[in-house]
């Protein structure tokens, strides 16, 4: 059989140099990057090619092709998920035996597996934020008709998002894309999520990596409650008297606040016209990050964008430009505030956090500093102090971190495959 | 444990006219291992998901035991989708790995302890309950994962192509393990596969679906020996059954140079339908080299001989002056015959085969249904 690499041309070149005639498990260390692995049933390894880190998963060809296609579809639907790079098939060992295909995905920069977040003792409110991020991800997936089939913290990556987190889907192997999901599919997906999350939390507790005040079962209940509340807000009909028409605007505001744009709203007036019923038809996540991108060209997570937009509003007020055209003010803000802060970060510290996250932290730092000193320190001074007292001491999160390639089954949940039954 | 009943269960996807599953009637017995099999798009997975509560049911009903579960949420149905999502947690004991889902469900502590102990006994894991998964062998770990499903004491196990991510060799050895485990547990199981060999080797009974319609449900041997219609005849068996449309002339089935005696009852049944053709099927092992004095037979030109040691198969095509017409009326591109190994013919040989009497399968040309002599 001939080796076949299905990928974008640029990545194909780089991928060619890897030892495809060897089972992934036997790849020499120098090809590999030690990253904490997820919970895959299959052999997964990470490798660095050029500036990027790639995840490689060994898997039978139909599954590799299917997951590749699924991740491409999810990308088209704008779902936060890891990016599929290609499938390497037709692998053969020197002795002529065939090897399974390899699905290649690009490692998400600045992403954090939950195990890495828990490496230092995890506090209750951090757990809450992780759960919130995951719930938003599940609801987004369900809105697009995606049934995950194996939702868990292990199958998710987290990126910092202005003190909170944004969640990304990592493993789509069990996923299915439908036109719309049935209530049964959603309920089952949520039940799986709930069981997996409780298991993962109990495991962390047993390992002494979770604060004793966190109750895994309460956390898993919370997943269900928050999902249900969010789902209702996103999809339910709401009925009110014709005189309470302001409630339409209120509903849209609430969805914006949750980070969703409402592209279509279904409004029905009852016979007699006394009651109005409304239901969001098309909701689109990323309300703030889209607005920030449009105004400034800065690509940020939802909460980061909200934070940056707030700062932009403050800037407009302070510089008395509230009447000005929004885009002109935004441009001035980027030149006066955002870029000087990022320029103040020494090059060797830029791998610590993403740009928007650094800006968010500098804003926080400025606030604390000003409070302590009793007067407003400028952005410039805040940035300088932040670099020296905070950023320098943070771990590098560009490509995290601290995983070992040996003995994964002693540190993290693992899958068993049927062939183990032998 | 319980029976499972599909009662005219129907699923029509929004935006389509043709049901994905069309009035499925199927009664699965208590403790039975039932396999749903068929080509892609036949409705087998949809049927399983209707039972699981993942697909809506647009018509008919589904019952587990006496409970109507047609519109019940998945988690209230007492079913377990097995082997898909089970992880083991390294810092938890085997007992906790098996029982933690019960804790979430609010099961009392001593009840959890009892169920875990029972399941461990069943799975030969009793002495390992206090250990961590790391200290177990691969097979024991697999049984711990099974234990997670068993402690829930589900009425029904559901499995949707659980072996599809294994390579062919592992699939063969693993399917036997699953089947024997199921027999030991005695829990009613519905298993979906596209692979008819997997279906035949694992199921107590096998339900064959095509285009949303149940074709036949029977024991593996029942399907093999008495396929209810042409579809089942062609789908079940490997290598596949030879199937072709023959003319009926003077009490014999004739197709070019192929000429086979048929029972008088078949001739009259075909005549009663107002037809003079019949679909004749014969399995590769039903063909014997014809003796010289025998009348008729099926002449075959040998293309390939496959020697497997215990068996040998001839892959050929119809021979004789009317070969082209014969080939047109054949359902597959070739005629397959099992022959004596170590004495197999050569490529290019012409052999005249006879069908072992009584092993012919007849089907109506009009309905595709089986005709019994």
């Amino acid at each position: 059989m001939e080796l076949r690499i299905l990928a974008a041309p640029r990545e194909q070149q780089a991928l060619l140099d890897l030892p495809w005639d060897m089972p992934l498990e036997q790849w020499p260390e120098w090809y590999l990057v030690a990253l904490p692995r997820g919970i895959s049933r299959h052999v997964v390894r990470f490798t660095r090619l050029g500036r990027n880190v790639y995840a490689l998963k060994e898997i039978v060809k139909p599954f590799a092709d299917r997951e590749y296609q699924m991740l491409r579809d999810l990308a088209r639907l704008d779902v936060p998920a890891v990016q599929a790079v290609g499938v390497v098939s037709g692998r053969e060992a020197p002795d002529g035996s065939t090897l399974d295909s390899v699905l290649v995905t690009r490692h998400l920069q600045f992403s954090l597996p939950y195990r890495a977040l828990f490496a230092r003792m995890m506090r209750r409110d951090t757990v809450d934020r992780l759960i919130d991020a995951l719930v938003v991800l599940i609801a987004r997936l369900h809105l697009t008709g995606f049934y995950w089939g194996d939702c868990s913290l292990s199958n998710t990556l987290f990126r910092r998002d202005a003190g909170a987190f944004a969640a990304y889907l990592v493993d789509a192997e069990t996923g299915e894309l439908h036109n719309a999901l049935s209530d049964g599919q959603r309920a089952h997906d949520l039940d799986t999520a709930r069981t997996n999350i409780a298991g993962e939390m109990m495991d962390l507790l047993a390992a002494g990596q979770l604060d004793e005040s966190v109750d895994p079962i309460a956390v898993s209940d919370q997943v269900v409650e928050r999902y249900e509340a969010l789902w209702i807000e996103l999809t339910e009909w709401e009925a009110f008297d014709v005189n309470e028409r302001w409630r339409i605007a209120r509903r849209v505001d609430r969805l914006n606040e949750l980070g969703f744009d409402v592209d279509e709203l279904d409004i029905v007036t009852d016979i007699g016209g006394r009651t109005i019923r409304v239901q969001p038809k098309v909701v689109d996540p990323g309300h703030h990050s889209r607005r920030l991108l449009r105004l400034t060209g800065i690509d940020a997570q939802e909460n980061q964008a909200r934070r940056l937009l707030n700062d932009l509003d403050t800037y407009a007020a302070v510089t008395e430009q509230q009447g000005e055209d929004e885009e002109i003010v935004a441009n001035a803000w980027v030149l006066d505030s955002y870029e000087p802060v990022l320029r103040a970060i020494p090059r060797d510290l830029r791998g610590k956090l993403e740009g928007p996250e650094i800006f968010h932290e500098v804003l926080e730092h400025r606030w604390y500093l000003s409070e302590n000193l009793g007067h407003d320190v400028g952005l410039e001074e805040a940035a300088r102090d932040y670099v020296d007292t905070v950023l320098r001491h943070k771990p590098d999160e560009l490509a995290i971190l601290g995983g070992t390639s040996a003995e994964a089954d002693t540190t993290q949940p693992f899958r068993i495959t049927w062939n183990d039954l032998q | 444990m319980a029976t499972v009943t599909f009662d005219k269960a129907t699923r029509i996807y929004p935006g389509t006219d043709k049901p994905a599953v069309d009035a499925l009637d199927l009664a699965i017995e208590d403790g039975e291992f039932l396999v749903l099999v068929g080509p892609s798009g036949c409705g087998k997975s949809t049927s399983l998901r209707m039972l699981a509560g993942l697909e809506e049911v647009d018509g008919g009903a589904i019952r587990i035991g006496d409970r109507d579960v047609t519109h019940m949420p998945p988690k209230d149905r007492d079913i377990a989708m097995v082997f898909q999502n089970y992880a083991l947690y390294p810092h938890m004991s085997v007992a906790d790995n098996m029982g933690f889902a019960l804790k979430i469900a609010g099961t009392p502590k001593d009840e959890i302890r009892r169920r875990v102990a029972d399941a461990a006994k069943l799975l030969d894991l009793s002495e390992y309950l206090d250990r961590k998964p790391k200290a177990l062998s691969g097979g024991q770990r697999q049984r711990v994962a099974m234990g997670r499903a068993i402690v829930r004491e589900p009425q029904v196990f559901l499995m949707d192509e659980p072996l599809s991510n294994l390579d062919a060799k592992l699939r063969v050895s693993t399917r036997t393990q699953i089947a024997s485990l199921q027999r030991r547990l005695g829990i009613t199981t519905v298993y979906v596969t596209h692979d008819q060999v997997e279906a035949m080797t694992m199921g107590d009974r096998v339900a064959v679906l095509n285009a949303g319609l149940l074709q036949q449900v029977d024991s593996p041997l029942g399907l093999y020996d008495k396929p209810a219609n042409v579809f089942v005849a062609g789908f079940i068996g490997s290598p596949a059954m030879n199937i072709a449309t023959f003319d009926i002339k003077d009490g014999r089935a004739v197709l070019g140079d192929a000429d086979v005696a048929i029972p008088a009852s078949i001739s009259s049944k075909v005549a009663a339908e107002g037809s003079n053709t019949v679909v004749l099927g014969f399995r590769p092992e039903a063909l014997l080299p014809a003796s010289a004095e025998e009348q008729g037979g099926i002449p075959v030109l040998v293309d390939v001989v496959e020697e497997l040691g215990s068996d040998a198969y001839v892959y050929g095509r119809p021979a004789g002056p009317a070969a082209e017409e014969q080939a047109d009326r054949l359902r597959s591109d070739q005629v397959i015959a099992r022959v004596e190994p170590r004495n197999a013919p050569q490529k290019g040989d012409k052999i005249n085969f006879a069908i072992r009497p009584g092993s012919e399968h007849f089907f109506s040309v009009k309905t595709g249904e089986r005709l019994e002599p």
Side-chain angles (χ1 to χ4, degrees):
Chain A
M1 235 191 306
E2 50 193 16
L3 187 72
R4 185 155 175 218
I5 300 179
L6 170 74
R10 201 164 43 90
E11 324 238 44
Q12 247 164 354
Q13 289 295 327
L15 289 174
L16 264 175
D17 297 329
L18 294 170
W20 297 115
D21 60 348
M22 230 184 259
L24 264 188
E25 242 173 343
Q26 293 169 15
W27 282 23
E29 285 282 328
W30 65 78
Y31 284 109
L32 304 177
V33 184
L35 289 168
R37 279 172 261 148
I39 196 174
S40 182
R41 275 144 279 232
H42 310 280
V43 181
V44 175
R45 294 288 182 272
F46 296 94
T47 190
R48 187 190 299 275
L49 298 168
R51 295 168 57 88
N52 288 313
V53 174
Y54 295 88
L56 311 169
K57 172 157 86 167
E58 209 163 58
I59 183 172
V60 292
K61 183 155 190 308
F63 272 59
D65 289 341
R66 186 177 172 280
E67 192 172 355
Y68 175 73
Q69 198 50 55
M70 185 77 73
L71 289 171
R72 305 277 288 202
D73 288 344
L74 289 177
R76 242 194 315 278
L77 291 167
D78 226 5
V79 166
V82 291
Q83 194 187 341
V85 169
V87 173
V88 180
S89 57
R91 296 170 64 216
E92 208 169 69
D95 68 2
S97 60
T98 58
L99 299 172
D100 277 338
S101 297
V102 170
L103 172 73
V104 185
T105 52
R106 187 173 303 144
H107 181 70
L108 197 63
Q109 288 193 337
F110 293 106
S111 66
L112 303 156
Y114 83 105
R115 288 259 157 188
L117 285 165
F118 282 92
R120 284 150 290 171
M121 178 71 79
M122 178 72 80
R123 284 192 329 249
R124 176 68 197 271
D125 56 341
T126 319
V127 174
D128 285 352
R129 285 178 197 145
L130 277 187
I131 296 302
D132 280 344
L134 189 53
V135 163
V136 170
L137 176 63
I138 300 174
R140 280 183 72 168
L141 291 168
H142 285 179
L143 279 177
T144 58
F146 183 81
Y147 169 75
W148 194 339
D150 197 10
C151 168
S152 65
L153 291 169
S154 306
N155 282 336
T156 311
L157 282 174
F158 297 92
R159 274 171 133 171
R160 296 194 184 280
D161 184 11
F165 295 99
Y168 287 72
L169 172 139
V170 179
D171 190 317
E173 192 181 316
T174 49
E176 297 163 13
L177 207 46
H178 299 266
N179 284 334
L181 294 187
S182 69
D183 288 345
Q185 282 164 327
R186 291 193 304 108
H188 188 68
D189 225 11
L190 211 59
D191 201 42
T192 309
R194 184 183 177 200
T195 309
N196 283 339
I197 291 166
E200 288 162 332
M201 291 282 163
M202 287 178 191
D203 192 52
L204 285 169
L205 207 55
Q209 289 181 320
L210 190 64
D211 194 283
E212 296 277 338
S213 70
V214 180
D215 172 6
I217 292 173
V219 169
S220 73
D221 286 340
Q222 219 178 336
V223 172
V224 180
E225 286 157 20
R226 295 198 183 172
Y227 171 91
E228 295 298 353
L230 179 58
W231 190 257
I232 285 173
E233 196 64 69
L234 290 172
T235 63
E236 285 285 281
W237 282 101
E238 185 179 353
F240 39 81
D241 189 85
V242 78
N243 294 323
E244 295 180 296
R245 250 178 294 188
W246 51 270
R247 287 177 62 171
I248 299 175
R250 174 71 67 86
R251 178 81 179 257
V252 174
D253 285 346
R254 277 203 312 267
L255 285 163
N256 287 165
E257 195 49 40
L258 288 166
F260 290 84
D261 271 334
V262 183
D263 291 348
E264 254 178 56
L265 198 64
D266 204 1
I267 302 183
V268 178
T269 313
D270 279 4
I271 305 165
R274 290 308 309 165
T275 315
I276 290 182
R277 296 192 306 143
V278 296
Q279 181 191 32
K281 273 300 190 203
V282 183
V283 288
D284 226 353
H287 173 74
H288 299 95
S289 60
R290 244 194 320 277
R291 182 160 167 250
L292 181 71
L293 189 67
R294 179 171 59 76
L295 287 174
T296 65
I298 297 170
D299 198 357
Q301 317 277 0
E302 185 61 16
N303 289 319
Q304 291 167 344
R306 197 190 307 243
R307 190 71 209 271
L308 267 57
L309 287 168
N310 280 341
D311 191 59
L312 169 59
D313 285 345
T314 313
Y315 173 85
V318 170
T319 55
E320 290 179 13
Q321 300 187 65
Q322 277 146 316
E324 280 287 343
D325 184 71
E326 211 179 22
E327 274 149 51
I328 292 170
V329 183
N331 190 41
W333 172 80
V334 169
L335 293 176
D336 284 351
S337 300
Y338 188 74
E339 286 187 347
V341 166
L342 291 201
R343 264 202 307 275
I345 309 300
R347 192 167 293 277
D348 62 316
L349 299 184
R350 287 183 190 168
K352 301 272 186 190
L353 290 173
E354 274 183 296
E357 188 68 17
I358 287 182
F359 190 79
H360 155 73
E361 294 211 342
V362 169
L363 290 180
E364 294 278 285
H365 193 72
R366 176 188 183 178
W367 192 86
Y368 286 117
L369 217 53
S370 305
E371 200 180 49
N372 280 343
L373 296 175
H375 67 90
D376 179 38
V377 299
L379 207 48
E380 215 172 310
E381 191 188 332
R384 214 170 15 237
D385 193 69
Y386 169 78
V387 167
D388 289 335
T389 60
V390 183
L391 189 64
R392 203 172 288 287
H393 310 289
K394 281 187 182 273
D396 220 29
E397 292 188 348
L398 177 63
I400 201 61
L401 231 196
T404 51
S405 50
E407 292 213 86
D409 63 352
T410 59
T411 55
Q412 48 191 314
F414 59 93
R415 296 279 174 202
I416 33 197
T417 52
W418 269 111
N419 43 328
D420 281 340
L421 202 59
Q422 311 304 312
Chain B
M1 271 161 273
T3 58
V4 171
T5 313
F6 287 87
D7 185 357
K8 303 234 170 335
T10 300
R11 172 66 176 144
I12 304 169
Y13 284 112
T16 58
D17 306 331
K18 232 176 76 41
V21 173
D22 194 353
L24 177 62
D25 272 323
L26 186 57
I28 301 164
E29 288 162 35
D30 190 2
E32 187 176 17
F33 193 125
L34 183 109
V35 180
L36 296 171
V37 73
S40 142
C42 71
K44 55 186 187 299
S45 285
T46 307
S47 305
L48 186 87
R49 287 159 195 210
M50 288 158 77
L51 172 57
L54 300 180
E55 285 292 349
E56 276 152 37
V57 178
D58 299 303
I62 296 175
R63 286 187 294 278
I64 295 176
D66 299 327
R67 286 184 310 143
D68 186 332
V69 299
T70 315
H71 302 293
M72 215 179 251
K75 67 177 164 51
D76 300 337
R77 293 187 180 208
D78 261 354
I79 46 156
M81 296 278 268
V82 198
F83 318 135
Q84 290 201 334
N85 319 323
Y86 292 151
L88 294 191
Y89 299 102
H91 302 101
M92 286 156 57
S93 67
V94 167
D96 286 343
N97 263 290
M98 282 166 67
F100 82 90
L102 296 177
K103 233 189 218 172
I104 305 172
T107 313
K109 269 198 180 133
D110 30 337
E111 173 73 6
I112 298 178
R113 210 169 303 131
R114 178 192 67 75
R115 289 203 205 175
V116 168
D118 286 354
K121 210 164 135 198
L122 206 57
L123 295 162
D124 291 330
L125 289 169
S126 300
E127 54 190 297
Y128 305 107
L129 282 177
D130 294 329
R131 301 210 190 159
K132 300 278 161 65
K134 192 194 164 223
L136 304 186
S137 72
Q140 288 164 336
R141 289 173 179 187
Q142 182 62 60
R143 278 179 274 141
V144 175
M146 282 291 298
R148 270 187 64 179
I150 293 167
V151 295
R152 294 177 49 200
E153 300 182 348
Q155 306 264 23
V156 188
F157 276 160
L158 305 183
M159 307 193 204
D160 193 353
E161 305 247 13
L163 304 184
S164 55
N165 58 356
L166 299 184
D167 66 32
K169 215 163 65 190
L170 278 172
R171 271 214 301 271
V172 171
S173 49
T174 310
R175 69 189 183 212
T176 332
Q177 308 276 354
I178 294 184
S180 75
L181 200 56
Q182 189 276 338
R183 306 236 139 85
R184 196 160 137 197
L185 299 174
I187 297 177
T188 312
T189 300
V190 184
Y191 184 105
V192 164
T193 178
H194 67 281
D195 180 346
Q196 60 93 13
V197 178
E198 201 168 295
M200 298 288 276
T201 50
M202 297 181 82
D204 291 322
R205 283 191 307 155
V206 176
V208 183
L209 282 93
N210 187 37
L213 290 165
L214 179 63
Q215 305 291 313
Q216 185 174 2
V217 52
D218 205 338
S219 66
L221 262 188
L223 291 177
Y224 194 80
D225 291 343
K226 289 201 165 167
N229 57 41
V230 180
F231 177 81
V232 177
F235 188 76
I236 297 290
S238 174
M241 184 190 281
N242 303 292
I243 302 170
T245 308
F246 280 66
D247 296 324
I248 297 186
K249 279 183 192 150
D250 308 326
R252 301 183 70 83
V254 181
L255 175 54
D257 281 358
D259 176 357
V260 180
I262 58 171
S265 57
I266 294 295
S267 300
S268 53
K269 280 185 180 170
V270 170
E273 311 188 298
S275 168
N276 54 9
T277 55
V278 70
V279 176
L280 171 61
F282 42 96
R283 297 212 178 267
E285 69 273 19
L287 290 176
L288 305 166
S291 55
E293 61 270 19
E294 238 171 296
Q295 191 198 344
I298 300 170
V300 172
L301 187 66
V302 178
D303 283 329
V304 175
V305 179
E306 198 176 74
E307 287 268 20
L308 302 173
S310 59
D311 287 299
Y313 287 97
V314 162
Y315 293 82
R317 53 201 144 104
E324 209 154 292
E325 186 201 350
Q326 286 172 300
D328 284 349
R329 291 225 213 153
L330 202 62
R331 297 282 167 119
S332 57
D333 341 338
Q334 51 198 1
V335 180
I336 308 170
R338 196 187 94 86
V339 294
E340 275 302 306
R342 292 165 225 288
N343 192 18
Q346 302 286 310
K347 179 176 187 233
D349 285 0
K350 191 182 146 186
I351 316 176
N352 197 28
F353 285 108
I355 303 175
R356 184 183 291 122
S359 54
E360 310 89 346
H361 301 268
F362 299 101
F363 304 97
S364 159
V365 167
K366 296 215 155 140
T367 63
E369 295 299 307
R370 180 180 189 81
L371 299 173
E372 284 294 348

